[in-house]
Amino acid sequence: MELYKRYILPILLTLLCSTSLGAGEPRIKTSYVYARGGESLRELLEYQVGIPQNVLDQDGYFEKIKHWNSSLEDPTSLVSGERVYVEIPYRVILTPRLNSPSESLATSGAGNFAQRKTASTEKETTKVMAAISKSDDKERQDRWKFSLFYALSRGSFQESILNSNITTKSSQDSPFTLGLSTFRKLHYGWNYSGSFYVSKLDGGLSDQNESVSLPWEYGLNSYIGYKRENWPIEVYTGVDHERFSSYNTEELPSGEPLSTREHTLTFLTLGVSKKFEWFGKQFLAKASYSSSVMSSQSRESKVNPQEFEGTKFILYLNMKASKDWFYHAFYKQHDLEGATSLHIARMGLGFGYNF
């Protein structure tokens, strides 16, 4: 708790104060645009909407918009009335042009018809600009996104009795972890995320080859994240709550049989995340550091009644496999002190589905 007050809390307060100054400006503007028919997706974006070429190419928004509209029948020749979702940075200035080169060629020498079409196009582009400026992103922001995930993991425990040479090493493997996560975009760069999981553990095995059944573990978290448009990473903070088991290592020298105690801890967490592409695949990486603020146990130790407190560190990597499926891997480490000094390291991998 002292570590949180001295380091994590000042950083968080500074972040909230600095970001609140820019909270009045939206991060993106979005809208749905409808094709007239026959034009390509590129022509629609560049001429009808008026997105500058450098935004489409250098900033990669043409490929992004193409990916967001993967259901288009033929991006090189849109169908009349076909709907295209457009999302661009809020500060981009739109410069719609009345006709694309192909449309100008088709209407040259057409006289009054060309003039009527030009007037109609002016009205249409005005509507597009107004729609985008009004920020139709509220519809998308109000949507909750959910993911169901599975993982298997291996955990190693090293427990030492304070002020002695006695150390116990053991393993806790989980063939089955199932969880549900959620995400929602909020306004002005803020977002909410949370998850819940349960984990089935195989019987624990100590270094004396003694085994004991282990109860299910569970954990949940709730985070608020924030990212400015020009930031390379997103920051997030929130609460982690979890339950796990440890052995009664400190009681063994007095002749007590091997057994477990369940520990429930609540942590305050500060983390960073970043999305990136590598070899054509989309990745999400996260790293977080947590400090315990509340702790309880199923029973007190007969040697030392002190409850566990300490820190937790997590590394997480997610790779998108398809539109809805993903693979993920994680490393989680606890360093706690209570009746014993406990070090836990757990590695896992699995897959998930977005819906």
Side-chain angles (χ1 to χ4, degrees):
M1 186 62 184
E2 182 65 25
L3 183 63
Y4 179 82
K5 290 180 178 179
R6 295 182 61 184
Y7 298 104
I8 298 180
L9 189 57
I11 294 173
L12 178 59
L13 291 175
T14 301
L15 172 65
L16 292 175
C17 290
S18 63
T19 56
S20 64
L21 297 176
E25 181 180 282
R27 182 183 171 195
I28 60 171
K29 48 189 174 185
T30 72
S31 184
Y32 287 104
V33 182
Y34 294 86
R36 292 193 295 271
E39 74 272 35
S40 67
L41 177 62
R42 178 81 187 204
E43 290 175 333
L44 175 73
L45 299 175
E46 188 174 340
Y47 293 92
Q48 182 175 327
V49 181
I51 304 176
Q53 287 187 5
N54 66 309
V55 175
L56 290 173
D57 297 327
Q58 296 175 19
D59 296 346
Y61 272 86
F62 178 71
E63 290 300 324
K64 291 179 181 178
I65 294 172
K66 186 177 179 180
H67 175 72
W68 294 330
N69 294 276
S70 57
S71 61
L72 294 176
E73 292 186 11
D74 183 4
T76 63
S77 181
L78 300 177
V79 177
S80 177
E82 201 164 19
R83 190 174 75 166
V84 177
Y85 171 73
V86 178
E87 178 180 311
I88 55 176
Y90 184 79
R91 297 178 182 177
V92 170
I93 299 175
L94 300 177
T95 55
R97 282 163 277 183
L98 299 182
N99 296 97
S100 66
S102 60
E103 290 173 326
S104 297
L105 181 63
T107 58
S108 60
N112 293 332
F113 175 76
Q115 293 178 1
R116 289 195 300 270
K117 187 171 182 181
T118 297
S120 175
T121 304
E122 283 182 334
K123 293 179 181 178
E124 195 168 339
T125 53
T126 300
K127 290 180 181 178
V128 171
M129 293 175 65
I132 292 180
S133 298
K134 286 180 181 178
S135 182
D136 189 38
D137 61 331
K138 188 177 187 311
E139 178 185 348
R140 288 169 60 85
Q141 290 171 348
D142 287 342
R143 298 177 189 167
W144 287 93
K145 298 180 180 178
F146 296 93
S147 300
L148 186 67
F149 61 87
Y150 162 84
L152 56 86
S153 64
R154 160 152 289 193
S156 63
F157 283 58
Q158 181 172 312
E159 203 167 5
S160 303
I161 301 177
L162 302 177
N163 304 318
S164 76
N165 296 324
I166 300 176
T167 299
T168 299
K169 294 181 180 179
S170 60
S171 62
Q172 290 188 10
D173 296 338
S174 172
F176 180 85
T177 296
L178 189 64
L180 177 70
S181 63
T182 184
F183 177 88
R184 184 183 183 185
K185 277 188 176 182
L186 305 176
H187 293 286
Y188 311 128
W190 294 92
N191 65 70
Y192 172 81
S193 62
S195 68
F196 172 78
Y197 72 86
V198 292
S199 184
K200 174 71 173 66
L201 298 171
D202 286 339
L205 187 65
S206 72
D207 52 2
Q208 282 81 33
N209 289 324
E210 295 179 278
S211 63
V212 62
S213 61
L214 298 169
W216 284 64
E217 290 187 356
Y218 73 83
L220 57 91
N221 58 60
S222 180
Y223 300 139
I224 290 292
Y226 181 79
K227 184 179 185 301
R228 295 287 294 272
E229 183 179 339
N230 57 343
W231 286 9
I233 60 173
E234 175 186 301
V235 297
Y236 61 90
T237 186
V239 177
D240 284 66
H241 182 77
E242 59 186 32
R243 187 187 75 176
F244 63 90
S245 302
S246 71
Y247 298 110
N248 60 332
T249 302
E250 76 287 352
E251 296 175 340
L252 298 180
S254 61
E256 291 291 326
L258 181 67
S259 63
T260 64
R261 283 196 306 276
E262 288 71 59
H263 306 276
T264 304
L265 281 85
T266 301
F267 297 87
L268 288 179
T269 298
L270 181 65
V272 296
S273 67
K274 181 176 178 61
K275 293 181 179 179
F276 62 95
E277 288 193 9
W278 192 40
F279 289 103
K281 296 293 185 179
Q282 297 180 3
F283 290 85
L284 170 65
K286 291 184 176 183
S288 66
Y289 179 83
S290 307
S291 180
S292 64
V293 291
M294 289 192 295
S295 179
S296 63
Q297 53 190 353
S298 58
R299 69 172 181 85
E300 291 186 352
S301 166
K302 296 180 180 179
V303 177
N304 183 346
Q306 183 179 351
E307 297 168 343
F308 276 127
E309 60 181 22
T311 61
K312 179 177 69 169
F313 175 70
I314 296 178
L315 291 175
Y316 176 81
L317 184 65
N318 176 307
M319 186 190 82
K320 193 170 183 178
S322 66
K323 180 181 178 181
D324 298 318
W325 292 92
F326 62 88
Y327 301 111
H328 63 162
F330 67 87
Y331 172 80
K332 179 166 64 173
Q333 177 178 307
H334 291 77
D335 290 289
L336 306 169
E337 288 195 1
T340 61
S341 178
L342 177 62
H343 172 85
I344 307 173
R346 182 172 293 279
M347 299 180 65
L349 55 87
F351 58 89
Y353 180 77
N354 298 313
F355 59 95

